[in-house]
Amino acid sequence: MDKVSCSFCGKTEDEVIVLVTGKSGYICEACAEKVAIVAKKEIEYLQPKKTVEKIDFNSFKPSLLKSYLDDYIIGQENAKKSISVAVYNHYKRLTQLEQSNGESEDVEIEKSNILLVGPTGVGKTLLVRMIAKKIGIPCAIADATALTQAGYVGEDVESILVRLLQTADYNMEAVKRGIVYIDEFDKIGRKADNPSITRDVGGEGVQQALLKMLEGTEVTVPPQGGRKHPEQKMLTIDTRNILFICGGAFEGVQRIIESRLKRSSLGFLMGEEAKKKIESQDLLQYITSEDLRKYGLIPELIGRLPVLVSLENLDGDKLKKILIEPKNALLKQYQKLFAMENINLIFEPEAINSIVDEAVASKLGARSLRGIMERVLLDAMFDYPSKKAKELVVSQKYVKERLTQATSAA
């Protein structure tokens, strides 16, 4: 008599541990385990999720949101005010839609996506992360540099929504009211002001792909990322109620702004004194949609980002405050690390000034502070856990020695 075999993998009963008999076939233990895993994932994607609680926007007045951001972000007063108002208005819009129950309104509030423009290390990503945390909504952070036009090597634009879906634990109701932050947005600017005769698949091609998503449309996405799992069922996400916040350094746009400001309305060049005044200012505060168009963003995309917010450069005073004042200040974080070893970490004022001077010289904004602190405290973090010392006082001399040592080693 022929030996029975698994209807899925074809292994005979001698090659498996268990062979379960069904109505019209057999399944071995290995295939049964795979079927169980697939079935569990399908159920997770398709079963109704718990209802998301309605957001009471009265609890998130712009002044309250800004006050919360003040605890974590130094400076950037205009940016904090603008993003607080924009997010507050967005969720008032959602409240209007929920109350109307799909019925048409005489006045329908449209979505206002946000574009943050500022140098590296000034707090663009932190602004978005903290305000999403305060409201308690899913927030996905994506990097525009990896995006390409559909069909080319790289990530499709739809992968941004996959990240939001995963952040929301596949809860579609939460996804519909989430926030998507697209960082390095300036990297998708087309390479010249005039359209290229060849395909710009990582620049203008990505901008074209983002148009409908930012405005609001139904996008079909693979829950696990399509290219690695082509067999999965697709999900449809409505982006009309998703708030998109884009941010970038837009390196070089200052030259475009400066060129525009140095000419009067009649086209005559300004005087030398007026030129020097412009050059000494933070030019990003004067950025306009026309400057972004000259930089390489297409007009249709600029129109879908109506809230344009510039962030200022961080000088030494602000970097010093960032180091010591916020609730999650870097200095407090390292003091906490040492306190876990029962070691009291103390920084002398001159030592803090030396760290700030090094950060200013690096021109990397607040992002450079952690790297400097790591270089300064590396030896102490290596040695002190094995010592019986209960205190470490960091002096200006200590800081300079460690920074010089790290520079020499590099």
Side-chain angles (χ1 to χ4, degrees):
M1 188 177 73
D2 294 336
K3 293 182 179 180
V4 295
S5 61
C6 176
S7 303
F8 288 83
C9 65
K11 292 180 180 179
T12 64
E13 55 186 334
D14 295 336
E15 298 174 298
V16 299
I17 300 174
V18 177
L19 197 62
V20 181
T21 305
K23 186 174 181 180
S24 57
Y26 304 88
I27 184 170
C28 68
E29 79 286 346
C31 291
E33 185 177 355
K34 293 178 181 178
V35 169
I37 293 172
V38 172
K40 182 181 178 182
K41 288 183 177 180
E42 291 295 327
I43 291 171
E44 288 176 352
Y45 297 149
L46 301 177
Q47 70 180 358
K49 301 291 183 180
K50 62 181 181 180
T51 305
V52 179
E53 293 183 6
K54 291 185 178 181
I55 294 177
D56 180 12
F57 66 85
N58 290 312
S59 302
F60 302 107
K61 300 289 188 184
S63 58
L64 295 176
L65 287 175
K66 183 181 178 299
S67 178
Y68 175 79
L69 293 175
D70 287 339
D71 291 337
Y72 295 91
I73 300 168
I74 299 296
Q76 311 300 359
E77 296 301 314
N78 180 57
K80 287 187 288 191
K81 185 183 294 183
S82 298
I83 200 170
S84 296
V85 170
V87 170
Y88 178 69
N89 286 340
H90 177 68
Y91 286 100
K92 279 201 296 185
R93 172 179 178 269
L94 292 185
T95 301
Q96 181 203 33
L97 293 174
E98 290 172 354
Q99 292 175 348
S100 65
N101 293 320
E103 298 178 3
S104 59
E105 292 273 347
D106 294 335
V107 179
E108 186 175 339
I109 304 171
E110 293 186 359
K111 181 173 62 171
S112 295
N113 296 316
I114 306 167
L115 177 59
L116 303 177
V117 180
T120 182
V122 296
K124 298 185 291 291
T125 306
L126 183 61
L127 265 172
V128 178
R129 188 184 295 122
M130 296 312 300
I131 207 160
K133 180 181 177 182
K134 174 63 176 175
I135 299 176
I137 55 175
C139 175
I141 298 177
D143 193 334
T145 54
L147 301 177
T148 57
Q149 193 173 345
Y152 293 85
V153 176
E155 291 188 17
D156 295 341
V157 170
E158 289 76 12
S159 65
I160 296 173
L161 297 179
V162 174
R163 296 183 187 179
L164 182 61
L165 188 66
Q166 293 168 344
T167 303
D169 196 23
Y170 297 94
N171 189 325
M172 294 299 291
E173 289 300 316
V175 168
K176 290 178 183 178
R177 57 171 58 185
I179 290 179
V180 170
Y181 177 62
I182 306 176
D183 200 6
E184 304 292 346
F185 196 70
D186 52 318
K187 301 303 186 295
I188 63 172
R190 62 189 179 198
K191 305 303 181 286
D193 193 32
N194 296 320
S196 174
I197 59 173
T198 59
R199 280 191 176 274
D200 185 9
V201 299
E204 186 175 353
V206 174
Q207 294 187 51
Q208 296 287 355
L210 282 170
L211 287 178
K212 292 301 293 181
M213 183 184 295
L214 264 62
E215 183 178 18
T217 187
E218 291 187 349
V219 181
T220 303
V221 300
Q224 297 177 348
R227 295 182 183 178
K228 292 184 179 179
H229 307 276
E231 76 287 347
Q232 63 191 303
K233 291 186 178 180
M234 307 291 276
L235 296 177
T236 301
I237 297 177
D238 190 342
T239 66
R240 285 176 295 180
N241 297 331
I242 296 175
L243 180 64
F244 287 88
I245 303 176
C246 305
F250 288 86
E251 188 68 34
V253 77
Q254 291 89 342
R255 292 192 294 271
I256 298 173
I257 301 170
E258 185 179 8
S259 176
R260 173 172 56 81
L261 292 178
K262 281 187 176 179
R263 294 187 174 275
S264 66
S265 59
L266 295 177
F268 296 105
L269 291 176
M270 287 184 174
E272 290 300 318
E273 186 176 341
K275 284 184 181 180
K276 290 180 181 178
K277 185 177 180 180
I278 288 175
E279 290 169 357
S280 65
Q281 291 178 328
D282 190 354
L283 293 176
L284 284 180
Q285 63 182 305
Y286 302 112
I287 193 168
T288 65
S289 299
E290 179 62 19
D291 299 324
L292 293 173
R293 188 193 65 77
K294 289 183 178 180
Y295 188 86
L297 296 187
I298 60 177
E300 302 94 318
L301 188 63
I302 297 171
R304 287 163 172 80
L305 295 163
V307 183
L308 178 58
V309 181
S310 64
L311 283 82
E312 60 195 21
N313 267 311
L314 298 174
D315 56 21
D317 290 338
K318 288 189 174 67
L319 286 172
K320 185 175 181 179
K321 290 180 179 179
I322 289 171
L323 191 60
I324 61 179
E325 289 186 6
K327 286 186 175 181
N328 61 338
L330 205 55
L331 197 62
K332 297 176 183 177
Q333 293 180 34
Y334 281 96
Q335 287 174 332
K336 181 69 174 179
L337 282 173
F338 277 84
M340 294 172 70
E341 301 279 353
N342 296 316
I343 301 169
N344 186 23
L345 177 63
I346 300 172
F347 275 82
E348 293 182 351
E350 293 78 9
I352 293 175
N353 292 336
S354 295
I355 292 172
V356 171
D357 291 341
E358 182 74 10
V360 171
S362 72
K363 297 182 180 180
L364 294 175
R367 187 168 281 119
S368 64
L369 289 172
R370 182 175 290 276
I372 296 169
M373 292 287 284
E374 286 286 335
R375 284 152 57 193
V376 169
L377 296 174
L378 175 62
D379 291 339
M381 289 189 291
F382 180 82
D383 294 327
Y384 271 67
S386 303
K387 291 183 176 180
K388 295 182 179 180
K390 297 298 181 183
E391 186 176 84
L392 170 61
V393 178
V394 179
S395 63
Q396 185 179 38
K397 180 181 178 182
Y398 185 95
V399 170
K400 289 185 176 181
E401 286 177 352
R402 294 306 180 279
L403 292 179
T404 303
Q405 178 183 329
T407 304
S408 301

